[in-house]
Amino acid sequence: MTRLIGILVGLGFTFVVLLAFVMGAFTWATEEVAETAEHAFHKPAEPLKLASNGPFGKFDRQQLQRGYQVYKEVCAACHSMHLLSFRNLTEIGYSEAQVKAEAASWTVPGIDPNTGEANTRPGIPTDRFPSPYPNETAARAANNNANPPDLSLITKARPHGPEYLHSLLTGYQEQPAELLEKFPEAKTGVGLYYNPYFANLNIAMPPPLSTDGQVTYADGTEATINQMSTDVTAFLVWTAEPTLEKRNQTGWPVLGFLIFATVLAWFAKKQVWADLKPRKQKT
């Protein structure tokens, strides 16, 4: 009797699960999903061509230095980059003397050795890039309750990171009249900015690159919004993966060795088993 009750309970449970699955699938297939402003007006990131793209990609050091200049003069006012030290700038073409001078142009938190109190001091090459805010609360208070993300790994932290970042920086615009007519509730609120490349279309970050010539490049390159956006994106690709060139240079020889070893193993197998014949099956 106990076994029969157990079987009936099991069958009942199985029936309920199967019914729930069928009803859920039917609802998913037949229910009309209401269109949202995000679904209708969100745009995928535009393609971006960088020297570092592809399996043979290499960094353009001149472009990386321009990108660093954009970060320092524009982005650093809100965004930290705490995984990078000043001494890492030698990897993008700066000399040790230039790195020392560059580090000294930044102000970093320090400790007074005489009193033990917190103070500030000029940076040194071993220091990491400082945060513009003392803590998250201060960051949110200064940015309409939004916490600006650290940019060290930003191109790895977002899908299609380089393309997304470049599209976001160049994508600020007025809300389309069609959007407001169709979705009046999606009107950009106070302290927000319309950007179709952002997930919910409205972003708290003001346009960081708003006019051509916002940065004066040391190498004389014309600083258009597109150029500045491309350069800082290239720089942030490097901060997220500074060993990209070494990885590419190492990867191809390793792949060639593996192919050679596979072919060699196949010929060795043929040689070892060449004199052995398969046994005949007895009938």
Side-chain angles (χ1 to χ4, degrees):
M1 187 65 180
T2 303
R3 181 178 297 179
L4 178 60
I5 293 174
I7 293 174
L8 292 176
V9 170
L11 290 175
F13 178 77
T14 303
F15 173 77
V16 171
V17 171
L18 182 61
L19 180 63
F21 174 78
V22 172
M23 293 298 294
F26 177 79
T27 302
W28 175 83
T30 58
E31 185 179 22
E32 293 186 6
V33 179
E35 187 178 34
T36 63
E38 291 85 350
H39 180 267
F41 288 88
H42 177 68
K43 293 182 180 180
E46 301 290 339
L48 177 65
K49 185 177 181 181
L50 295 175
S52 56
N53 288 354
F56 299 99
K58 293 184 177 181
F59 289 118
D60 179 346
R61 261 60 183 178
Q62 199 70 28
Q63 184 177 52
L64 296 185
Q65 292 183 19
R66 293 197 303 268
Y68 167 67
Q69 187 177 349
V70 175
Y71 168 75
K72 178 183 178 181
E73 297 184 18
V74 180
C75 308
C78 297
H79 294 274
S80 60
M81 196 162 57
H82 70 272
L83 295 182
L84 198 71
S85 299
F86 293 111
R87 62 184 175 185
N88 296 127
L89 295 178
T90 57
E91 300 173 23
I92 63 173
Y94 288 100
S95 67
E96 291 187 6
Q98 288 175 316
V99 169
K100 288 182 180 179
E102 189 61 37
S105 69
W106 290 72
T107 300
V108 302
I111 299 294
D112 188 326
N114 298 317
T115 64
E117 296 180 352
N119 63 3
T120 57
R121 59 173 176 78
I124 58 176
T126 54
D127 287 325
R128 295 183 184 272
F129 281 85
S131 172
Y133 305 106
N135 50 53
E136 182 178 337
T137 301
R140 290 187 180 278
N143 293 278
N144 197 24
N145 203 38
N147 185 24
D150 182 87
L151 296 184
S152 306
L153 303 175
I154 195 66
T155 58
K156 291 293 186 182
R158 303 290 185 271
H160 308 289
E163 294 82 4
Y164 165 76
L165 184 60
H166 180 266
S167 297
L168 186 74
L169 290 173
T170 58
Y172 287 87
Q173 57 189 262
E174 295 294 328
Q175 276 191 307
E178 182 185 356
L179 183 150
L180 296 176
E181 291 176 3
K182 196 171 183 180
F183 304 99
E185 71 282 359
K187 183 178 180 180
T188 300
V190 177
L192 299 177
Y193 302 85
Y194 178 76
N195 193 317
Y197 298 99
F198 193 63
N200 64 4
L201 305 181
N202 297 309
I203 184 172
M205 179 176 69
L209 301 172
S210 54
T211 59
D212 293 341
Q214 192 170 336
V215 171
T216 302
Y217 282 136
D219 63 1
T221 300
E222 183 180 1
T224 63
I225 291 178
N226 183 68
Q227 183 68 54
M228 292 185 289
S229 300
T230 302
D231 292 341
V232 75
T233 298
F235 173 69
L236 294 174
V237 168
W238 171 76
T239 65
E241 193 171 8
T243 60
L244 180 143
E245 290 178 330
K246 292 181 180 179
R247 178 169 58 80
N248 288 347
Q249 292 170 1
T250 304
W252 287 109
V254 170
L255 183 61
F257 171 77
L258 292 176
I259 293 174
F260 171 76
T262 301
V263 173
L264 189 64
W266 184 80
F267 278 113
K269 177 258 182 187
K270 297 288 288 185
Q271 181 68 24
V272 170
W273 296 93
D275 296 333
L276 298 179
K277 297 181 180 180
R279 297 180 179 180
K280 293 183 179 180
Q281 298 289 334
K282 295 182 178 181
T283 59

